[in-house]
Amino acid sequence: MLIQHREITHPDVTALVLAAEDELFTRYPGTTRSPLDPHARFVVAYVLGRPVGCGAIVASGPGVGEIRRMYVMPAHRRAGVARRILAAIERRATAQGWDSIILETGVNQPEAIALYESSGYQRTEPYGRYIDNPYSVCFVKKLLRS
Protein backbone atom coordinates (compact mmCIF):
# COMPACT_ATOMS: atom_id res chain seq x y z
CA MET A 1 0.00 0.00 0.00
CA LEU A 2 1.18 3.47 -0.90
CA ILE A 3 -0.08 6.72 0.64
CA GLN A 4 0.31 9.81 -1.54
CA HIS A 5 -0.45 13.50 -0.97
CA ARG A 6 -2.92 14.68 -3.60
CA GLU A 7 -4.35 18.02 -4.62
CA ILE A 8 -8.05 18.57 -4.08
CA THR A 9 -8.55 18.61 -7.88
CA HIS A 10 -6.88 15.23 -8.47
CA PRO A 11 -9.26 12.79 -10.24
CA ASP A 12 -8.62 10.08 -7.62
CA VAL A 13 -9.75 12.48 -4.87
CA THR A 14 -12.86 13.35 -6.86
CA ALA A 15 -13.78 9.70 -7.45
CA LEU A 16 -13.25 8.69 -3.82
CA VAL A 17 -15.18 11.68 -2.44
CA LEU A 18 -18.12 10.90 -4.73
CA ALA A 19 -18.07 7.24 -3.65
CA ALA A 20 -18.01 8.31 0.00
CA GLU A 21 -20.94 10.64 -0.48
CA ASP A 22 -22.91 7.92 -2.29
CA GLU A 23 -22.42 5.64 0.71
CA LEU A 24 -23.43 8.40 3.13
CA PHE A 25 -26.67 8.85 1.18
CA THR A 26 -27.58 5.22 1.94
CA ARG A 27 -26.61 5.47 5.63
CA TYR A 28 -28.25 8.87 6.14
CA PRO A 29 -31.23 9.33 3.81
CA GLY A 30 -31.83 12.95 2.95
CA THR A 31 -28.14 13.85 3.03
CA THR A 32 -27.01 16.18 0.26
CA ARG A 33 -23.62 16.66 -1.32
CA SER A 34 -21.46 19.22 0.40
CA PRO A 35 -18.67 21.23 -1.20
CA LEU A 36 -15.07 20.41 -0.47
CA ASP A 37 -13.14 22.89 1.62
CA PRO A 38 -10.69 24.41 -0.88
CA HIS A 39 -7.98 24.38 1.81
CA ALA A 40 -8.30 20.63 2.50
CA ARG A 41 -5.07 18.67 2.12
CA PHE A 42 -5.75 15.13 0.91
CA VAL A 43 -3.94 11.84 1.10
CA VAL A 44 -4.94 8.89 -1.08
CA ALA A 45 -4.17 5.24 -0.39
CA TYR A 46 -3.26 3.06 -3.36
CA VAL A 47 -3.19 -0.72 -3.60
CA LEU A 48 -1.58 -2.11 -6.73
CA GLY A 49 -1.77 1.37 -8.25
CA ARG A 50 -5.52 1.80 -7.69
CA PRO A 51 -6.99 4.40 -5.34
CA VAL A 52 -8.79 2.67 -2.47
CA GLY A 53 -9.20 5.32 0.21
CA CYS A 54 -8.69 8.94 1.16
CA GLY A 55 -8.77 11.45 3.94
CA ALA A 56 -8.08 15.14 4.37
CA ILE A 57 -7.17 17.67 6.99
CA VAL A 58 -8.02 21.34 7.14
CA ALA A 59 -7.22 24.06 9.66
CA SER A 60 -10.07 24.47 12.12
CA GLY A 61 -8.67 27.03 14.52
CA PRO A 62 -5.43 28.05 16.18
CA GLY A 63 -3.38 24.87 16.61
CA VAL A 64 -6.29 22.62 15.59
CA GLY A 65 -6.82 20.57 12.44
CA GLU A 66 -10.04 18.87 11.40
CA ILE A 67 -10.09 15.52 9.65
CA ARG A 68 -12.55 15.43 6.77
CA ARG A 69 -13.58 13.04 4.02
CA MET A 70 -12.19 9.80 5.47
CA TYR A 71 -13.25 6.95 3.22
CA VAL A 72 -12.13 3.45 2.25
CA MET A 73 -13.75 1.47 -0.54
CA PRO A 74 -15.74 -1.48 0.87
CA ALA A 75 -13.56 -4.16 -0.78
CA HIS A 76 -10.49 -2.78 1.05
CA ARG A 77 -11.94 -2.38 4.53
CA ARG A 78 -10.55 -4.28 7.52
CA ALA A 79 -7.11 -4.37 5.87
CA GLY A 80 -5.50 -1.43 7.70
CA VAL A 81 -6.10 1.14 4.97
CA ALA A 82 -8.02 3.59 7.17
CA ARG A 83 -5.44 3.30 9.93
CA ARG A 84 -2.64 4.13 7.47
CA ILE A 85 -4.59 7.11 6.10
CA LEU A 86 -5.24 8.33 9.63
CA ALA A 87 -1.54 8.02 10.55
CA ALA A 88 -0.55 10.00 7.44
CA ILE A 89 -3.02 12.75 8.32
CA GLU A 90 -1.74 12.88 11.90
CA ARG A 91 1.85 13.21 10.64
CA ARG A 92 0.80 16.06 8.39
CA ALA A 93 -1.01 17.79 11.26
CA THR A 94 2.06 17.45 13.48
CA ALA A 95 4.25 18.85 10.68
CA GLN A 96 1.86 21.83 10.48
CA GLY A 97 2.54 22.44 14.17
CA TRP A 98 -1.00 21.71 15.25
CA ASP A 99 -1.62 20.57 18.83
CA SER A 100 -4.81 18.61 18.29
CA ILE A 101 -7.18 17.13 15.75
CA ILE A 102 -10.96 17.13 15.78
CA LEU A 103 -13.33 15.15 13.60
CA GLU A 104 -16.95 14.20 13.14
CA THR A 105 -18.47 10.92 12.12
CA GLY A 106 -21.98 9.57 12.50
CA VAL A 107 -23.96 7.18 14.64
CA ASN A 108 -24.59 4.99 11.57
CA GLN A 109 -20.85 4.43 11.07
CA PRO A 110 -19.88 2.12 13.93
CA GLU A 111 -16.73 0.99 12.13
CA ALA A 112 -15.48 4.59 11.97
CA ILE A 113 -16.28 5.13 15.65
CA ALA A 114 -14.33 1.97 16.53
CA LEU A 115 -11.36 3.10 14.41
CA TYR A 116 -11.14 6.50 16.08
CA GLU A 117 -11.60 5.13 19.61
CA SER A 118 -8.92 2.48 19.04
CA SER A 119 -6.58 5.17 17.63
CA GLY A 120 -6.60 7.31 20.77
CA TYR A 121 -9.40 9.73 19.92
CA GLN A 122 -11.71 10.82 22.73
CA ARG A 123 -15.36 11.70 22.29
CA THR A 124 -16.07 15.39 22.64
CA GLU A 125 -19.04 17.69 22.45
CA PRO A 126 -20.33 18.46 18.95
CA TYR A 127 -18.73 21.55 17.44
CA GLY A 128 -19.47 24.01 14.66
CA ARG A 129 -22.01 22.81 12.14
CA TYR A 130 -22.53 19.56 14.10
CA ILE A 131 -23.88 21.12 17.32
CA ASP A 132 -27.54 20.39 16.59
CA ASN A 133 -27.04 17.26 14.51
CA PRO A 134 -28.38 14.22 16.41
CA TYR A 135 -26.44 11.87 14.11
CA SER A 136 -23.02 13.39 14.82
CA VAL A 137 -20.35 11.80 16.98
CA CYS A 138 -17.35 14.08 17.49
CA PHE A 139 -13.81 13.26 18.58
CA VAL A 140 -10.61 15.03 19.58
CA LYS A 141 -7.01 13.86 19.89
CA LYS A 142 -4.05 15.70 21.34
CA LEU A 143 -0.97 15.30 19.16
CA LEU A 144 2.38 14.32 20.57
CA ARG A 145 5.37 16.30 19.42
CA SER A 146 8.64 14.50 18.88
Side-chain angles (χ1 to χ4, degrees), residues 12-46:
D12 294 341
V13 169
T14 302
L16 289 164
V17 166
L18 289 172
E21 288 181 339
D22 288 346
E23 183 172 325
L24 288 175
F25 297 155
T26 64
R27 291 188 190 220
Y28 304 94
T31 301
T32 58
R33 294 204 189 275
S34 58
L36 293 177
D37 184 314
H39 303 290
R41 300 294 171 242
F42 275 85
V43 295
V44 173
Y46 293 88

Side-chain angles (χ1 to χ4, degrees), residues 2-124:
L2 180 64
I3 306 287
Q4 294 286 310
H5 294 272
R6 293 288 183 236
E7 294 297 322
I8 196 169
T9 56
H10 194 282
D12 294 341
V13 169
T14 302
L16 289 164
V17 166
L18 289 172
E21 288 181 339
D22 288 346
E23 183 172 325
L24 288 175
F25 297 155
T26 64
R27 291 188 190 220
Y28 304 94
T31 301
T32 58
R33 294 204 189 275
S34 58
L36 293 177
D37 184 314
H39 303 290
R41 300 294 171 242
F42 275 85
V43 295
V44 173
Y46 293 88
V47 172
L48 300 174
R50 294 178 187 227
V52 300
C54 68
I57 192 155
V58 64
S60 179
V64 180
E66 181 182 8
I67 293 178
R68 306 277 301 151
R69 307 295 182 150
M70 282 284 294
Y71 177 72
V72 175
M73 295 176 64
H76 294 275
R77 293 180 185 162
R78 307 214 35 94
V81 176
R83 216 167 276 287
R84 296 269 310 269
I85 291 169
L86 191 57
I89 290 171
E90 289 177 1
R91 284 191 301 274
R92 186 170 229 181
T94 300
Q96 290 285 132
W98 292 335
D99 300 313
S100 61
I101 296 176
I102 58 175
L103 64 88
E104 183 268 352
T105 189
V107 296
N108 295 340
Q109 295 163 270
E111 66 283 4
I113 292 169
L115 168 70
Y116 298 129
E117 289 178 338
S118 71
S119 298
Y121 287 77
Q122 303 296 316
R123 289 189 190 215
T124 191

